[in-house]
Amino acid sequence: MKNLPETFGCNVFSFKAMKERLPENIFLKVRETISEGHRLDLETANFVADAMKDWAIEKGATHFTHWFQPMTGITAEKHDSFISVAEDDKVIMNFSGKELFKGEPDASSFPSGGLRATFEARGYTAWDPTSPAFIKEGVLCIPTAFMSYSGEALDQKTPLLRSMQAINRQSKRIMKLFGNETGGVKTTVGAEQEYFLIDKADYDKRKDLIFTNRTLFGCKPPKGQEMDDHYFGSIRPRVAEFMADLDDELWKLGVPSKTEHNEVAPSQHELAPIFTTTNIASDQNQLTMEIMQKVAERHGLVCLLHEKPFAGVNGSGKHNNWSICTNDGDNLFEPGDTPYDNAQFLLFLCAVIKAVDDYQDLLRVSVATAGNDHRLGANEAPPAVLSIFMGDELSEILDAIENGSAYDKKEQSLMKVGVHVLPKFPKDMTDRNRTSPFAFTGNKFEFRMLGSASTISSANTVLNTIVAESLRSYADRLENSADFEEDLHKLIRKTIKDHKRIIFNGNGYGDEWLKEAEVRGLLNLKTTPDALNTLVSPKNIELFEFHKVLSKTELEARYEVYMENYCKTINIEGLTASEMIRRDILPAISSYIKNLSETVTLRNSALGSSKKSYEEAVITRLTDISANVYNLTNNLDEKLITAKDVKNIKDKAEVYKSAVISLMDKIRVLVDEAERLCSAEFWPYPSYGKMLFSI
Ligand code: ADP
Ligand code: MG
């Protein structure tokens, strides 16, 4: 891209664009209202809408859409053109403040988890002025929240925005106690996105990729990722061209894509943006995933965002780097220069420790999808058990506070909160552990359990809310304190004592850790249905209701939607496996058996049948395999029918989780063996070797 500083964000209706187009008094009003999170009045909104429309039309846009994120996990848009008919049948381009504020898409085809019954088909979208509008493919996209007519959230953005308000409220209470009268805080996120790229021609030949986004079969190639030669390796030309094009597109949309590199698995890559306010980061991540897929197609590639597209090599995740920042730009997880600042830092740190321990279940729920189940707990991804990596230095400080012992060995003075200055934690000191699901990395936390295909909204909604809850309990305690410093010290000590079981600095991938975690009483929710059941526990409903993030009804609806989503995903996988077996795999095996049998017959007639040939061995094994596969597939089909008929969603998920998945696993082992035995010429699908090593 030429002249990046000028073209960056050229398709975004940013403050800069607004400033150029709005009367100064209106611009100042808009900027202030937006940064303070208030609502714009209709008159001002009319000015904004008009300026936005003119700007968009100049950029070639003819349509606008309220861009929203229903609970499908992807984004939705319905395009309306700007045209309206004026007097004399003349067509004019129009866009009002009312249209900017509110849209009314038909909500009946979006998942609502039963909420639909109470509001019928109607739903509405409401402008989120804190996330800038942008132009994508000739359409002005306005980020919006999506709600039922009675105001219940039907999307991912609404609870995220509410959780940002919750953490803002509680953080302000705490900061006030330290004499920091801040205008407000927001959470910030940088979401590192992993993905695979494969050739489109290979993709088109695989029904499993087309229907389920992952390979359901495929034997391991002779080479996987064991040589570690892909990670940070030199980027091949075709991929480099894709990345350059992708950056170009993202930059125009104001997405600050910063780092692109090869990941551990062959054909796996990562993109990291510069962090920004959480709801914008979330919108930008959705946009990034969409643009990645579109740009890949232009390069004859397919971008796979599934958490585990290939067995036997690493899956893909998202690293959600999260912090709290004042509106003035101070990062609250940056240890300060004065003892008082440090005490505040320690209290916020403790709030996170307490939150992660108290709400392990919710953090696990926030990353629970059928796809991510393949990854969490597999040997390269963080386990399904939550723990926090603090690094040795910070852990020593926390130990010293808990035990009232000396931290600085030289001074031999007792560690006292509010008195001692903490050292700065250099990033390389704290970020050596890559196996932790939740790591403190010097001045932010990195939550690594998120799946690559999911929205980051759920995880951040939970993070914001649970930390808000810790802060609330601290503020309740400290606001009425007679001796603030003493009580603060006690509170920090107590938090460390009560919650240190969640801190683990060792290897999170080892089996020993899972045993140790069990001894410590930490949760190990292995599958999505196990995790989802905790979403609607009384403790969690109380949390979300108290902080006004999600009501009981909304949570119950979400539980339904996510459970249904899980069941539907496994159902499609089961049906796809069955179709591939019956229509492609078994016929391929039969053809190959026939081919070998003809060879044997011909050779026998030429040489006599005295010699045992390799063909006979292969024919025998393939015959056994195909008979077993056939029987198991019949069982699979039966189970899929049974599961469909189960009414209760919890029982239904159980059938998919135990019966369907285990049958599919058994079948896969056999099919993969058959692939190894079959002539490549007869096998109906491109191999792992071809897909992973050919671009
Ligand atoms: P890595 O984790 O690969 O070592 P970095 O730590 O440099 O990479 O950055 C990872 C991500 O963390 C980037 O997206 C970066 O913008 C983001 N990040 C850095 N500081 C913050 C912060 N204060 N809040 C949220 N995200 C941050
Ligand atoms: Mg990282």
Side-chain angles (χ1 to χ4, degrees):
M1 181 188 278
K2 283 159 220 91
N3 197 359
L4 182 57
E6 232 167 66
T7 37
F8 184 84
C10 63
N11 287 341
V12 181
F13 192 62
S14 57
F15 278 135
K16 185 168 160 271
M18 273 189 223
K19 192 168 181 207
E20 283 165 12
R21 285 160 191 276
L22 289 172
E24 195 180 348
N25 60 334
I26 300 278
F27 169 71
L28 292 175
K29 189 165 169 194
V30 171
R31 195 173 60 180
E32 195 187 308
T33 333
I34 289 177
S35 57
E36 286 180 6
H38 299 314
R39 225 182 126 81
L40 275 185
D41 57 81
L42 189 58
E43 195 189 332
T44 318
N46 278 331
F47 272 105
V48 177
D50 208 45
M52 209 185 252
K53 177 206 69 188
D54 289 346
W55 169 83
I57 289 171
E58 273 170 40
K59 300 246 166 216
T62 48
H63 288 67
F64 71 92
T65 180
H66 275 198
W67 186 73
F68 60 102
Q69 296 162 33
M71 287 186 273
T72 51
I74 52 171
T75 54
E77 44 195 81
K78 176 183 127 225
H79 301 174
D80 278 303
S81 76
F82 289 118
I83 61 166
S84 58
V85 181
E87 283 165 29
D88 316 330
D89 290 341
K90 256 203 193 141
V91 166
I92 53 164
M93 302 295 251
N94 224 343
F95 185 51
S96 67
K98 237 168 103 191
E99 285 170 301
L100 170 63
F101 265 140
K102 194 166 161 181
E104 296 193 16
D106 178 352
S108 59
S109 294
F110 293 108
S112 78
L115 287 177
R116 199 153 53 228
T118 57
F119 78 100
E120 298 158 310
R122 292 191 300 168
Y124 72 90
T125 47
W127 180 34
D128 168 17
T130 58
S131 185
F134 55 89
I135 295 174
K136 181 168 64 78
E137 290 157 357
V139 177
L140 170 67
C141 299
I142 300 152
T144 52
F146 178 44
M147 274 164 268
S148 76
Y149 236 78
S150 40
E152 281 128 348
L154 291 176
D155 69 344
Q156 304 291 359
K157 189 190 267 281
T158 307
L160 180 63
L161 291 173
R162 292 177 186 160
S163 75
M164 289 171 71
Q165 284 171 5
I167 198 163
N168 180 35
R169 261 193 310 270
Q170 304 302 337
S171 300
K172 275 177 22 184
R173 290 176 69 194
I174 295 288
M175 293 183 73
K176 196 169 169 198
L177 294 170
F178 286 89
N180 295 325
E181 293 279 352
T182 167
V185 304
K186 54 195 183 189
T187 53
T188 52
V189 163
E192 302 165 56
Q193 173 73 47
E194 293 181 336
Y195 59 96
F196 280 83
L197 285 178
I198 64 165
D199 199 283
K200 173 88 165 63
D202 289 337
Y203 173 90
D204 287 339
K205 293 186 191 121
R206 297 215 46 138
K207 291 177 189 160
D208 45 7
L209 286 176
I210 293 171
F211 295 131
T212 74
N213 303 316
R214 74 179 181 103
T215 54
L216 300 176
F217 305 107
C219 67
K220 289 196 179 70
K223 183 182 172 192
Q225 62 190 46
E226 58 278 75
M227 302 296 283
D228 288 327
D229 51 357
H230 193 252
Y231 190 55
F232 282 14
S234 80
I235 298 171
R236 287 180 307 284
R238 200 166 161 201
V239 176
E241 281 165 26
F242 159 82
M243 286 179 175
D245 205 1
L246 174 63
D247 278 343
D248 216 62
E249 292 292 335
L250 291 175
W251 288 337
K252 279 192 248 168
L253 287 164
V255 179
S257 158
K258 167 100 173 141
T259 319
E260 301 253 27
H261 65 76
N262 286 353
E263 259 301 327
V264 173
S267 278
Q268 193 186 25
H269 310 279
E270 181 188 289
L271 179 149
I274 297 172
F275 70 96
T276 177
T277 313
T278 304
N279 69 317
I280 300 177
S282 172
D283 286 352
Q284 290 188 339
N285 182 254
Q286 294 297 128
L287 213 51
T288 301
M289 291 194 285
E290 182 185 330
I291 304 291
M292 272 178 168
Q293 287 170 303
K294 288 193 172 143
V295 172
E297 287 232 36
R298 292 213 291 260
H299 290 257
L301 299 166
V302 173
C303 170
L304 301 176
L305 290 169
H306 192 280
E307 286 78 11
K308 196 76 182 176
F310 302 101
V313 294
N314 278 7
S316 299
K318 259 188 255 234
H319 288 177
N320 190 80
N321 296 273
W322 177 93
S323 190
I324 311 175
C325 182
T326 65
N327 285 348
D328 303 326
D330 290 331
N331 180 352
L332 298 186
F333 289 112
E334 192 86 64
D337 295 324
T338 67
Y340 229 56
D341 279 355
N342 280 179
Q344 183 187 291
F345 161 78
L346 278 172
L347 193 63
F348 273 93
L349 196 74
C350 282
V352 176
I353 295 172
K354 176 175 159 55
V356 175
D357 189 27
D358 284 344
Y359 295 100
Q360 299 162 45
D361 49 356
L362 279 184
L363 285 168
R364 174 65 183 92
V365 171
S366 77
V367 299
T369 59
N372 215 15
D373 281 359
H374 295 286
R375 188 178 149 261
L376 295 180
N379 60 3
E380 85 287 353
V385 180
L386 252 305
S387 66
I388 306 184
F389 172 84
M390 277 291 166
D392 292 340
E393 205 170 7
L394 198 49
S395 296
E396 274 174 38
I397 292 173
L398 297 180
D399 279 348
I401 297 172
E402 186 199 349
N403 302 320
S405 57
Y407 165 66
D408 187 335
K409 310 271 179 329
K410 275 173 276 150
E411 274 187 39
Q412 282 301 315
S413 59
L414 297 190
M415 184 75 198
K416 186 118 171 66
V417 174
V419 175
H420 286 88
V421 178
L422 300 177
K424 291 264 184 204
F425 309 105
K427 195 174 142 47
D428 55 349
M429 292 283 294
T430 50
D431 196 22
R432 276 172 305 194
N433 186 317
R434 310 297 288 183
T435 64
S436 174
F438 201 100
F440 181 68
T441 56
N443 60 2
K444 63 185 187 301
F445 288 91
E446 187 166 335
F447 185 22
R448 299 182 174 135
M449 285 168 90
L450 285 77
S452 48
S454 303
T455 160
I456 62 167
S457 293
S458 332
N460 287 295
T461 300
V462 167
L463 257 174
N464 293 343
T465 312
I466 62 178
V467 175
E469 170 55 20
S470 299
L471 296 171
R472 180 208 57 80
S473 75
Y474 291 169
D476 281 359
R477 171 84 192 278
L478 295 172
E479 273 168 355
N480 302 313
S481 158
D483 183 345
F484 176 68
E485 278 197 30
E486 185 53 33
D487 283 346
L488 173 67
H489 188 81
K490 276 197 205 145
L491 195 59
I492 289 180
R493 247 177 109 167
K494 182 167 164 32
T495 304
I496 300 168
K497 239 192 192 60
D498 291 351
H499 297 286
K500 66 179 175 197
R501 63 171 186 166
I502 198 76
I503 298 175
F504 176 65
N505 292 329
N507 177 12
Y509 292 178
D511 285 339
E512 310 78 54
W513 165 235
L514 290 186
K515 286 190 206 113
E516 159 86 21
E518 202 179 332
V519 174
R520 292 191 190 189
L522 300 180
L523 286 175
N524 187 0
L525 299 166
K526 293 204 183 82
T527 67
T528 293
D530 297 343
L532 276 174
N533 287 326
T534 68
L535 181 62
V536 283
S537 70
K539 160 188 121 213
N540 292 334
I541 293 176
E542 194 187 327
L543 168 85
F544 282 119
E545 290 217 310
F546 180 87
H547 290 280
K548 301 190 170 51
V549 173
L550 287 165
S551 68
K552 181 163 186 268
T553 323
E554 288 172 325
L555 279 165
E556 281 165 353
R558 251 150 237 263
Y559 168 80
E560 287 284 322
V561 171
Y562 297 149
M563 278 295 224
E564 262 175 30
N565 196 297
Y566 176 84
C567 294
K568 284 178 190 162
T569 305
I570 313 275
N571 188 48
I572 293 171
E573 290 188 352
L575 292 173
T576 305
S578 175
E579 154 144 356
M580 289 170 80
I581 289 164
R582 293 185 194 281
R583 307 195 60 190
D584 303 331
I585 294 171
L586 289 178
I589 297 176
S590 297
S591 301
Y592 187 48
I593 291 176
K594 174 173 175 244
N595 180 281
L596 290 178
S597 304
E598 282 169 1
T599 309
V600 173
T601 312
L602 288 173
R603 188 178 34 223
N604 286 354
S605 68
L607 299 178
S609 59
S610 57
K611 291 235 166 69
K612 261 254 176 273
S613 68
Y614 100 85
E615 287 95 346
E616 283 167 297
V618 174
I619 292 168
T620 309
R621 182 64 196 141
L622 283 178
T623 305
D624 283 350
I625 290 178
S626 50
N628 284 339
V629 167
Y630 179 71
N631 288 334
L632 287 167
T633 307
N634 288 342
N635 293 348
L636 175 65
D637 286 354
E638 277 165 29
K639 279 288 170 227
L640 290 171
I641 292 168
T642 315
K644 248 195 146 49
D645 288 341
V646 179
K647 288 279 169 298
N648 176 295
I649 194 75
K650 192 172 167 191
D651 299 339
K652 193 190 195 84
E654 197 56 40
V655 180
Y656 284 114
K657 185 187 102 179
S658 29
V660 173
I661 290 185
S662 68
L663 273 171
M664 284 176 61
D665 287 346
K666 277 193 200 134
I667 296 173
R668 176 172 187 154
V669 172
L670 291 167
V671 169
D672 288 358
E673 188 188 340
E675 183 182 349
R676 246 187 322 273
L677 292 174
C678 259
S679 151
E681 206 187 311
F682 281 74
W683 199 252
Y685 306 118
S687 67
Y688 266 35
K690 171 76 174 59
M691 286 185 284
L692 289 170
F693 291 95
S694 67
I695 56 164

